[in-house]
Amino acid sequence: MGGMAGPYPIRGSVVLPEAELVWRFSRSSGPGGQHVNTSDSQVELRFDLANTEALPEAWKRRALQRLAGRLVDGVISVRASEHRSQWRNREAAAVRLAALLAEATAPPPPPRKPTRIPRGINEHRLRKKKRRSEIKRERSGKDWKRQAMQQGWG
């Protein structure tokens, strides 16, 4: 089998460790030609996240926490079957796993600094609200009794 296009960087100088990747191949589902029944082009890539030495400890903790729903006994698996060739599916699975780990190990965003609304903007908003409510109240026919009293009709 030809060489892979790795190494697959996760973030910075940390790369996906080839030695810790477990590959499984099976037949892809879906349409194909005469060749499809004999080729194992679907790829399943498994990576033991819980026992890896390739990731810094803080990254590993963060990834285990964030990917908890996808892990089975600390192992994460990624499938690829969109290409017809096994080699391209291997590439796709490895790239997908590297992207998943990059996202899961990313540091949390800095906390949002609360800001106050400037007083002038708030006052302007309240003036517009009051003006709008007056316009709507004038349109309403519910005040006809009071208006009639003021006009001297009632």
Side-chain angles (χ1 to χ4, degrees):
M1 178 146 306
M4 298 274 303
Y8 299 97
I10 295 174
R11 225 177 44 247
S13 61
V14 180
V15 295
L16 223 91
E18 287 283 340
E20 294 183 27
L21 301 180
V22 179
W23 300 93
R24 249 182 68 205
F25 308 103
S26 57
R27 294 190 179 138
S28 282
S29 61
Q34 295 167 332
H35 178 66
V36 78
N37 297 327
T38 58
S39 65
D40 292 342
S41 62
Q42 178 173 284
V43 171
E44 184 182 355
L45 173 58
R46 298 167 63 84
F47 178 65
D48 191 349
L49 185 58
N51 299 315
T52 185
E53 298 293 320
L55 298 177
E57 202 54 42
W59 287 22
K60 193 172 15 174
R61 268 197 315 275
R62 208 178 293 148
L64 285 168
Q65 184 183 357
R66 289 182 182 168
L67 297 173
R70 285 194 62 165
L71 296 175
V72 179
D73 297 330
V75 176
I76 187 153
S77 68
V78 175
R79 273 207 175 107
S81 61
E82 59 267 17
H83 301 291
R84 285 177 61 173
S85 83
Q86 187 189 94
W87 187 82
R88 287 179 66 192
N89 281 333
R90 283 178 67 133
E91 288 285 300
V95 167
R96 205 173 295 155
L97 179 63
L100 192 67
L101 289 173
E103 192 177 320
T105 59
R112 182 184 169 276
K113 195 184 295 181
T115 55
R116 287 183 54 225
I117 298 172
R119 201 172 82 208
I121 289 175
N122 210 19
E123 287 172 355
H124 178 71
R125 180 182 63 85
L126 293 173
R127 275 197 305 274
K128 280 176 65 176
K129 271 180 80 159
K130 191 172 241 36
R131 197 175 318 131
R132 187 80 184 138
S133 75
E134 284 169 9
I135 289 170
K136 287 187 170 232
R137 192 170 58 239
E138 288 168 8
R139 282 188 199 152
S140 166
K142 288 184 181 169
D143 276 351
W144 63 270
K145 222 177 206 176
R146 191 175 55 179
Q147 285 176 352
M149 297 298 250
Q150 288 173 350
Q151 300 277 332
W153 298 338

